[in-house]
Amino acid sequence: MFGCTICLASRANSPLSRTCELLKILNKFYKRNEMQKIAADQGLDARLFHQAFVSFRKYVLEVSTLSADLHIILNDICCGAGHIDDLYPYFMRHAKQIFPMLDCMEDLRKISDLRVPANWYPEARAIHRKVIFHAGPTNSGKTHHAIQRYLAAKSGVYCGPLKLLAHEIFEKSNTAGVPCDLVTGEERTFVDAEGRQAEHVACTIEMCSVTTPYEVAVIDEIQMIRDFSRGWAWTRALLGLCAEEIHVCGEPAAINFVTELMYTTGEEVEVRNYKRLTPCSILDRAVESLDNLRPGDCIVCFSKNDIYSISRQIEIRGLECAVIYGSLPPGTKLSQAKKFNDPEDPCKILVATDAIGMGLNLSIKRIIFNSLVKPNINEKGEKELDTISTSQALQIAGRAGRFSSIFKEGEVTTMHRDDLPILKEILSRTVHAIEIAGLHPTSEQIEMFAYHLPDATLSNLIDIFVSLSQVDGMYFVCNIDDFKFLADMIQHIPLNLRSRYVFCTAPINKKQPFVCTSFLKFARQFSRDEPLTFDWVCRLVSWPLVPPKNIKDLVHLEAVHDVLDLYLWLSYRFMDMFPDANRVREIQQELDSIIQLGVRNITRLIRATETSATPGTDPLSNQRRPGPSPVSPRKVRGAPKAQDSGVEAGQLDKSLGSRLVQEGLLTPDLLRQLQKEWSKEHRQEEVGVKLVAETLNNKIKGKKK
């Protein structure tokens, strides 16, 4: 107003100098619903309004000089000559300084408008597609019928949720004399010797092309369209594939939703229902003891420690068992499945997580649930321990008595007597109908945001995008916590926006500290424009590696396998900077063999771990044994921030490190190795390492044995 500022020292005797009155005025402004509503129209939702107010209050109370116009308005309000609402223009002026997007809100809202995603795929809208829904339970032959049409077509694409499923269709197609390529995040296999693309391709669903024309497309496990993390990939495939026929396979619970979704594209859905090919019954008795195991049994656990413990107890009884869990390499999973399926092999028992729910053909007679409580990620990205859903229970139970196995009838029960009535009640429920589909911001949308907000970090761009995004009732924005985790980790590393975005979409196991530190080193080397050569990777992972001597060694080898997966994934996005994909794949195959050897001898590894454990500790994690705790569904929220727990840049402090060890996220050896590695990092990485520690710390409470 006056173009000058007034020093607070010169107004010592004015009403404005009374801090208590200033606080009362500011708090009254904050509580005015009318002000919040007006601010919301300008783009300040409740969260941003609160942040802006806190900053504005701090500015008013602590700044050494105050602009003349704001000084006069505050004096007038103190003297009763002004109204609290008169603060609004000055509050908004301050808000626009800390939230620059408020000046271009209209453009940002247009960019983040996700209400009509069908219009994102003009090639698909240009043709009239025939949509056929193959609906049925596990082991009903629904996918088989879709694949038969796929094999008979002149061209086709299979889209599956797992690499193992894509591999299976790839092999089945080529065995049937239909040339087929394989495309996953980490692998491209062309059957043509000169690298020409075949007319058929089997791929993981994230990798399907929405611009290539096909006669037939198969989308498997369509119910995953509502998955809080990956649902966007099924939405993209269903709306965007350019195929004359779209064959959708999945649970009947998705029929009505897919029909409604296709109504928005003007396409009708033909439904084909299937029934289970073999009977599967729920037994009236629990197993209760491992002494009661029989050939063809599969014990399903929801934690790796339970797998280790049960495997050891089975071995004590003189029996052999195979083990399958999610973090094992695909080759090791197939090796263990082959061992269990082989009638000539003495191994007749399988101990597995719900990783067997998709992608493996197993000769299981009886599914035994060791527990009915499983960790899940909700729509807010929070980890919950809850009883398994009916859909999950049916998916796992349906693996018993598969049509192609030697057991023509399946059985389902629990290990513990008290769980059996709960399982029966779960399986008797109707599966909840699917009502929403996932969406995810594209790199192009984020680049447009960055044009308007050049100083915002990638993590902040994502936050702003999600807060402004508009979706109709059929859609939701998928959880982006993993993306933000990686964005925060490499924020201090100089990368252009497109490269940074690609790095942050990499699929990594953020629970593995070695994988996280390797990801940091990949990004740093890339930012220096220095190629990540085979020799560089070998030094990073200390190749060659030896067979594991205990469980800790096995866990580390699995992490190394993930690091090599990360290299291969990035090599298809940045070929010049990751030039040695073929050589890395060769040592990854050797590593898979080493891990297979370790898993075949897993009971020996467990014994070695028990021997090295100190008295009074859990031998599988070398931790102090906890007291009994109730196993009940509960929500686990984040831990205190790193600055509150004493995490210093470049290292994990003793407090955080001990908690990571106690929660099973680190072993003592890995902790020492991490501290040693991170202490050698350049000072420019200290911020990034702090972010790694903070993010791990925030996830601690999501870990429950």
Side-chain angles (χ1 to χ4, degrees):
M1 181 183 294
F2 295 102
C4 65
T5 60
I6 299 176
C7 179
L8 287 178
S10 68
R11 49 174 201 192
N13 297 320
S14 72
L16 195 57
S17 65
R18 291 174 289 184
T19 303
C20 289
E21 288 199 26
L22 271 180
L23 276 173
K24 289 180 181 178
I25 291 171
L26 294 170
N27 287 335
K28 284 182 180 179
F29 173 81
Y30 178 72
K31 293 177 181 178
R32 289 273 291 165
N33 290 332
E34 292 81 356
M35 294 299 96
Q36 295 192 28
K37 290 178 182 178
I38 297 174
D41 293 337
Q42 298 296 316
L44 282 178
D45 59 20
R47 180 177 61 86
L48 294 179
F49 182 86
H50 175 75
Q51 292 178 4
F53 172 76
V54 170
S55 178
F56 181 63
R57 181 178 61 191
K58 182 177 181 181
Y59 166 73
V60 170
L61 296 178
E62 298 181 7
V63 73
S64 59
T65 58
L66 201 61
S67 61
D69 50 357
L70 178 55
H71 183 280
I72 292 171
I73 288 295
L74 287 169
N75 264 306
D76 288 347
I77 297 172
C78 282
C79 296
H83 193 277
I84 290 175
D85 291 358
D86 295 339
L87 282 176
Y88 178 76
Y90 307 97
F91 166 75
M92 284 303 300
R93 182 174 68 186
H94 182 82
K96 288 181 179 181
Q97 290 176 352
I98 61 174
F99 297 124
M101 77 276 194
L102 297 176
D103 279 328
C104 51
M105 190 60 66
E106 195 59 36
D107 289 333
L108 297 181
R109 282 199 173 115
K110 288 179 181 178
I111 297 169
S112 58
D113 189 340
L114 308 179
R115 286 176 292 185
V116 193
N119 292 345
W120 301 351
Y121 309 104
E123 292 92 343
R125 300 291 77 79
I127 60 177
H128 185 73
R129 307 180 307 169
K130 180 179 180 181
V131 182
I132 302 167
F133 195 125
H134 300 264
T138 303
N139 194 25
S140 60
K142 57 184 182 296
T143 306
H144 171 77
H145 285 86
I147 293 301
Q148 292 306 305
R149 178 66 187 96
Y150 162 85
L151 294 175
K154 294 179 181 178
S155 62
V157 57
Y158 168 83
C159 308
L162 300 173
K163 288 184 282 187
L164 282 175
L165 283 171
H167 270 276
E168 181 183 334
I169 301 305
F170 165 72
E171 292 176 357
K172 180 179 293 185
S173 183
N174 286 298
T175 301
V178 178
C180 176
D181 295 335
L182 174 69
V183 176
T184 71
E186 301 80 17
E187 186 174 359
R188 309 286 189 279
T189 301
F190 299 99
V191 292
D192 182 79
E194 298 180 3
R196 288 187 293 265
Q197 293 185 4
E199 295 296 327
H200 287 70
V201 60
C203 63
T204 45
I205 194 158
E206 286 87 353
M207 300 305 300
C208 70
S209 168
V210 292
T211 56
T212 304
Y214 300 102
E215 182 181 348
V216 169
V218 177
I219 304 174
D220 210 354
E221 306 293 351
I222 187 61
Q223 67 274 4
M224 290 191 70
I225 199 170
R226 67 175 168 192
D227 185 84
F228 291 126
S229 298
R230 299 178 64 201
W232 63 270
W234 276 262
T235 305
R236 173 177 172 270
L238 186 58
L239 295 177
L241 281 171
C242 297
E244 298 169 26
E245 291 182 23
I246 307 288
H247 289 258
V248 177
C249 306
E251 296 177 358
I255 293 175
N256 290 341
F257 180 76
V258 170
T259 302
E260 185 180 357
L261 199 61
M262 292 298 94
Y263 179 78
T264 67
T265 66
E267 296 161 335
E268 296 183 358
V269 178
E270 175 189 336
V271 179
R272 299 178 185 176
N273 289 295
Y274 301 83
K275 294 182 178 180
R276 185 176 167 88
L277 298 173
T278 57
C280 186
S281 58
I282 307 175
L283 300 180
D284 291 325
R285 294 188 62 181
V287 175
E288 297 193 58
S289 170
L290 295 177
D291 293 327
N292 298 326
L293 292 179
R294 304 194 300 254
D297 279 348
C298 172
I299 305 172
V300 176
C301 309
F302 295 115
S303 85
K304 239 198 282 192
N305 276 353
D306 285 346
I307 285 186
Y308 297 151
S309 176
I310 289 174
S311 300
R312 178 75 172 102
Q313 294 175 57
I314 290 173
E315 190 261 353
I316 290 173
R317 287 163 170 79
L319 302 174
E320 288 192 31
C321 68
V323 296
I324 295 174
Y325 49 86
S327 58
L328 286 177
T332 304
K333 290 177 186 173
L334 290 171
S335 172
Q336 289 291 294
K338 183 178 180 181
K339 176 182 175 70
F340 174 70
N341 289 339
D342 186 355
E344 305 299 323
D345 196 290
C347 171
K348 303 299 180 186
I349 309 294
L350 175 64
V351 185
T353 64
D354 55 335
I356 64 165
M358 300 179 200
L360 289 170
N361 291 316
L362 298 162
S363 296
I364 299 172
K365 170 65 175 177
R366 183 170 61 166
I367 288 283
I368 303 167
F369 284 89
N370 185 61
S371 168
L372 298 176
V373 176
K374 178 190 175 186
N376 291 306
I377 304 295
N378 66 17
E379 67 276 12
K380 296 179 181 179
E382 298 166 332
K383 200 162 192 177
E384 298 177 338
L385 283 171
D386 207 349
T387 305
I388 60 174
S389 67
T390 299
S391 177
Q392 291 168 333
L394 288 170
Q395 186 82 33
I396 297 168
R399 308 301 291 181
R402 287 184 64 82
F403 181 74
S404 58
S405 75
I406 61 174
F407 301 110
K408 301 307 178 186
E409 294 185 12
E411 298 173 345
V412 183
T413 187
T414 60
M415 179 61 69
H416 307 290
R417 186 187 308 175
D418 293 344
D419 284 340
L420 188 54
I422 300 174
L423 177 63
K424 289 183 176 181
E425 197 272 328
I426 292 172
L427 292 174
S428 67
R429 297 177 198 155
T430 301
V431 177
H432 291 303
I434 291 172
E435 299 176 339
I436 50 176
L439 296 173
H440 193 282
T442 66
S443 59
E444 290 77 16
Q445 289 168 324
I446 299 303
E447 282 181 338
M448 286 190 283
F449 255 54
Y451 172 79
H452 291 286
L453 305 171
D455 297 325
T457 66
L458 179 55
S459 182
N460 286 340
L461 288 174
I462 291 290
D463 274 338
I464 297 169
F465 186 97
V466 173
S467 67
L468 295 179
S469 61
Q470 302 174 71
V471 295
D472 68 21
M474 298 181 69
Y475 299 99
F476 68 95
V477 180
C478 284
N479 182 272
I480 40 77
D481 280 357
D482 287 353
F483 184 98
K484 287 180 58 183
F485 174 93
L486 299 181
D488 288 337
M489 193 190 305
I490 62 173
Q491 181 54 44
H492 66 294
I493 297 177
L495 294 169
N496 64 57
L497 184 66
R498 177 58 70 101
S499 298
R500 190 180 301 277
Y501 181 94
V502 172
F503 264 81
C504 293
T505 57
I508 77 168
N509 183 357
K510 61 186 180 185
K511 293 181 180 179
Q512 289 281 7
F514 182 72
V515 179
C516 292
T517 54
S518 299
F519 177 79
L520 271 172
K521 292 176 181 178
F522 278 19
R524 179 172 55 330
Q525 183 83 348
F526 182 92
S527 71
R528 295 170 177 165
D529 202 26
E530 297 177 5
L532 287 82
T533 63
F534 175 75
D535 291 338
W536 185 92
V537 173
C538 287
R539 288 193 299 272
L540 175 68
V541 301
S542 301
W543 186 265
L545 296 165
V546 297
K549 297 178 181 178
N550 51 46
I551 291 296
K552 291 185 292 184
D553 290 349
L554 179 62
V555 170
H556 178 67
L557 292 181
E558 293 168 6
V560 174
H561 193 279
D562 285 349
V563 169
L564 300 183
D565 253 354
L566 174 62
Y567 183 97
L568 295 173
W569 190 92
L570 289 167
S571 73
Y572 287 107
R573 280 82 182 165
F574 306 105
M575 293 185 181
D576 292 342
M577 295 299 293
F578 295 82
D580 295 329
N582 290 335
R583 297 180 70 186
V584 169
R585 182 171 289 107
E586 289 174 1
I587 67 170
Q588 189 187 46
Q589 291 170 352
E590 290 183 43
L591 178 58
D592 197 333
S593 299
I594 294 172
I595 294 174
Q596 287 181 39
L597 179 62
V599 173
R600 282 199 297 270
N601 297 307
I602 195 164
T603 53
R604 181 177 59 79
L605 303 186
I606 295 170
R607 286 199 303 272
T609 305
E610 289 174 342
T611 303
S612 63
T614 57
T617 62
D618 181 345
L620 296 177
S621 58
N622 206 23
Q623 304 163 23
R624 183 67 54 182
R625 288 193 183 96
S629 59
V631 181
S632 59
R634 66 181 181 91
K635 188 178 292 183
V636 185
R637 300 189 184 275
K641 294 182 180 179
Q643 59 264 32
D644 299 327
S645 59
V647 178
E648 298 294 332
Q651 65 178 1
L652 291 173
D653 77 333
K654 293 181 180 179
S655 174
L656 176 58
S658 62
R659 273 182 286 161
L660 290 172
V661 171
Q662 288 169 3
E663 294 294 336
L665 293 173
L666 283 178
T667 63
D669 287 347
L670 274 178
L671 176 61
R672 286 191 291 271
Q673 180 183 344
L674 262 179
Q675 290 172 328
K676 183 177 179 181
E677 286 183 11
W678 282 349
S679 65
K680 294 179 181 178
E681 300 295 345
H682 293 30
R683 293 295 296 175
Q684 65 177 349
E685 294 180 7
E686 289 180 346
V687 176
V689 176
K690 177 184 282 188
L691 288 170
V692 176
E694 178 180 348
T695 312
L696 282 172
N697 192 18
N698 286 337
K699 300 301 180 183
I700 287 175
K701 289 188 179 179
K703 178 76 175 178
K704 180 178 175 69
K705 293 182 181 178

